[in-house]
Amino acid sequence: MNYKIRSIRADEWAAAKELRLVALRDPVAHLAFMETYDTALAQPDSFYKERAVGAAEGAEKAQQIIAEGPDGEWVGTVTVLLEEAGTVDWAGFAVERKQGHIVGVFVRPEVRGIGLTEVLFDAALEWAWGRGVERVRLIVHEDNERARRFYGKVGFIPTGVVVPLGGNSDERELEMAVERP
């Protein structure tokens, strides 16, 4: 495997935007992301610049990690957000302890199955553990079997927390987590 795994730099917002738009065209994007392609496309460049600054190398509250191919093309990404004890998360749930929250997982279809996602997750967990978190969690749609299988394979287990999806009470997302070793 000849891929470089690294955190993004703040000035790489355009590449981050491009990979996000590719991710939102994935056949399971409606299950994996809480944003549509059209919504993301309509965002001004300032949105992506701010997002990149907040998750770039050296940022303290989030980190976007990418897999860069030998030709410089970004082929995968994962972002870790830090959640502090005593705060409320995006879904309105109380955060009881300092934890990481993995979001935005995507690997281009043409390089899936070669271990890039595992390496991205290793880097994400290493970053989170280095910030003193007690656990790292993620939220996955109950119908996203491919993702659920992968997350289980890399050590995430269901916690029993269920997150209802907005206006559609028939759909749910499930929390999975891994405890600090």
Side-chain angles (χ1 to χ4, degrees):
M1 187 176 353
N2 195 16
Y3 295 88
K4 184 175 184 180
I5 306 301
R6 65 175 179 84
S7 295
I8 68 166
R9 293 182 292 272
D11 65 350
E12 294 178 313
W13 65 269
K17 175 183 176 181
E18 187 270 334
L19 189 58
R20 179 65 173 184
L21 292 173
V22 170
L24 292 170
R25 293 266 182 168
D26 191 85
V28 297
H30 67 287
L31 297 178
F33 303 109
M34 297 186 128
E35 178 180 42
T36 66
Y37 176 84
D38 291 336
T39 302
L41 187 61
Q43 292 288 358
D45 287 346
S46 60
F47 172 83
Y48 290 98
K49 289 176 183 177
E50 185 177 316
R51 182 183 264 185
V53 167
E57 186 175 50
E60 288 301 316
K61 300 276 186 209
Q63 200 73 180
Q64 183 176 359
I65 301 164
I66 55 111
E68 184 176 10
D71 59 357
E73 180 183 39
W74 290 11
V75 297
T77 185
V78 62
T79 299
V80 186
L81 310 173
L82 288 186
E83 298 176 327
E84 296 292 338
T87 63
V88 176
D89 72 9
W90 63 272
F93 291 101
V95 176
E96 296 177 1
R97 54 188 169 157
K98 186 175 183 177
Q99 60 191 12
H101 186 154
I102 290 184
V103 299
V105 179
F106 177 73
V107 172
R108 291 180 187 263
E110 62 270 20
V111 294
R112 289 181 185 156
I114 64 168
L116 280 178
T117 313
E118 289 89 338
V119 176
L120 285 166
F121 263 69
D122 287 346
L125 290 172
E126 183 179 324
W127 184 84
W129 302 143
R131 287 346 164 258
V133 303
E134 297 179 29
R135 75 179 194 143
V136 175
R137 70 180 185 141
L138 53 84
I139 308 294
V140 60
H141 194 283
E142 65 184 344
D143 294 337
N144 194 344
E145 281 298 319
R146 181 181 78 198
R148 288 175 56 200
R149 276 193 311 275
F150 171 77
Y151 300 146
K153 179 180 161 187
V154 295
F156 285 75
I157 57 170
T159 65
V161 173
V162 175
V163 180
L165 283 178
N168 189 345
S169 60
D170 294 340
E171 293 186 50
R172 304 175 316 158
E173 296 217 330
L174 310 172
E175 182 185 69
M176 297 178 77
V178 61
E179 298 289 327
R180 184 183 184 116

